[in-house]
Amino acid sequence: MYLADYHTHTRCSFDSQAALLDEAAQALSLGLKELCTTDHCDLLDEHGGRVAGLDWAPILEQYAQAAAAFEGRLKLRLGLELGEAPVDPELARGILAGAPLDFVIGSIHNMSPRAGGEDFYYLPLTDAAACYAVLDDYFASLLELVKLTDTYDVLGHVIYPLRYMSGASNGPVTLDRYQDQLRALFTAAAQAGRGIEVNTCRGQTLDEWLPVLELYRACGGEIVTVGTDAHTAQDIGKGIQEAQALLRQAGFRYQAVFCRRIPQFIRL
Ligand SMILES: [Zn+2]
Ligand SMILES: [Zn+2]
């Protein structure tokens, strides 16, 4: 089986201390064929402040060093996880033009500016009503993002807020009431030649993906990448094979990898 981890973070992300060299060594030891590094660039900070841009220099320097060290042994790809592109699409495009990127994940991590812009991580998601208010705003943002088709190749972790909602009282919180939004999102992405990812959340959220993948496929979706969202070397590769099994179960025959933002399809 062809193993590729297409969502990973290093110390060039605000929330990771990992070195790309260590992550690449771990990937190689696990038998991965490809590692795509996708550090964060969010257009809002954790508390909703605007971000002016991205300093590519440390990202490019680290990538060049690792690519040289692992040449011929592991295919390293240069990606970016771009958060909150709808906040400033022109800024997003300018940032993406600053590096020879292979792959871009488009994500929403924060409430929209009109709803305060706070990172979901910091919200008091203690009851179901609070969770559904967040999900309403989240899906509205995703439906804006999906139209900005030059700012992403795949939509990142579409079930992301659920990570923070497992402890809600009077739950459980599910995506049942968002099926129309998911259908609109997946149809728009598929028609634009864009995709989604299975984000294994370091191997933790796999079961939640099957209905999402089935719906995406029913909407004409074909492009799916697999990534762990690892922020440490130890989490590289976690849940990748299980995610591939889920993809097969949902009827997919290919996973996608990217080079210079062009998808390539690899048999599952
Ligand atoms: Zn993310
Ligand atoms: Zn991430």
Side-chain angles (χ1 to χ4, degrees):
M1 190 55 59
Y2 192 94
L3 302 177
D5 192 338
Y6 258 66
H7 191 149
T8 63
H9 296 275
T10 74
R11 60 191 174 204
C12 293
S13 293
F14 71 97
D15 54 357
S16 169
Q17 302 295 321
L20 182 55
L21 282 171
D22 294 338
E23 293 186 340
Q26 176 76 351
L28 193 63
S29 76
L30 294 171
L32 270 64
K33 296 284 193 280
E34 287 192 40
L35 177 67
C36 185
T37 183
T38 57
D39 279 309
H40 282 296
C41 172
D42 285 275
L43 300 193
L44 294 177
D45 67 22
E46 292 156 281
H47 302 296
R50 295 290 184 108
V51 169
L54 175 66
D55 178 9
W56 276 108
I59 294 176
L60 294 176
E61 188 186 329
Q62 179 179 236
Y63 176 74
Q65 186 191 16
F70 285 85
E71 191 172 4
R73 296 188 292 158
L74 177 71
K75 215 180 263 184
L76 271 177
R77 296 297 192 206
L78 178 64
L80 187 73
E81 182 178 15
L82 182 64
E84 286 73 57
V87 166
D88 190 340
E90 280 312 305
L91 176 59
R93 292 181 184 110
I95 289 167
L96 296 179
L101 281 161
D102 291 308
F103 179 60
V104 181
I105 301 171
S107 296
I108 300 293
H109 298 119
N110 293 46
M111 297 296 282
S112 62
R114 62 187 170 271
E118 191 82 354
D119 190 317
F120 300 137
Y121 179 82
Y122 293 103
L123 296 173
L125 299 172
T126 49
D127 67 75
C131 294
Y132 283 118
V134 167
L135 285 168
D136 287 350
D137 186 71
Y138 175 69
F139 279 104
S141 293
L142 274 182
L143 286 164
E144 287 179 46
L145 170 61
V146 76
K147 291 184 230 163
L148 305 174
T149 54
D150 53 347
T151 70
Y152 69 93
D153 298 310
V154 302
L155 298 170
H157 46 51
V158 292
I159 63 171
Y160 175 69
L162 293 180
R163 276 186 206 181
Y164 304 116
M165 297 179 176
S166 58
S169 62
N170 61 345
V173 176
T174 73
L175 298 183
D176 289 353
R177 63 176 77 175
Y178 299 99
Q179 296 303 296
D180 287 348
Q181 287 93 327
L182 282 168
R183 212 171 279 118
L185 196 63
F186 292 159
T187 302
Q191 287 179 352
R194 298 296 183 269
I196 67 169
E197 65 158 0
V198 184
N199 184 301
T200 74
C201 190
R202 305 93 166 169
Q204 291 166 42
T205 60
L206 285 152
D207 293 342
E208 297 168 61
W209 281 100
L210 185 59
V212 176
L213 291 170
E214 287 172 339
L215 182 62
Y216 173 63
R217 187 160 179 270
C219 293
E222 294 178 328
I223 296 173
V224 190
T225 57
V226 177
T228 58
D229 223 342
H231 286 62
T232 63
Q234 294 88 323
D235 285 339
I236 296 290
K238 279 190 181 167
I240 293 273
Q241 297 191 54
E242 292 85 346
Q244 290 176 320
L246 277 183
L247 279 169
R248 285 191 294 271
Q249 198 181 337
F252 291 92
R253 290 184 299 149
Y254 298 92
Q255 65 181 320
V257 294
F258 281 75
C259 182
R260 296 298 168 103
R261 303 198 60 189
I262 307 287
Q264 302 170 334
F265 295 91
I266 297 192
R267 186 109 196 166
L268 282 162

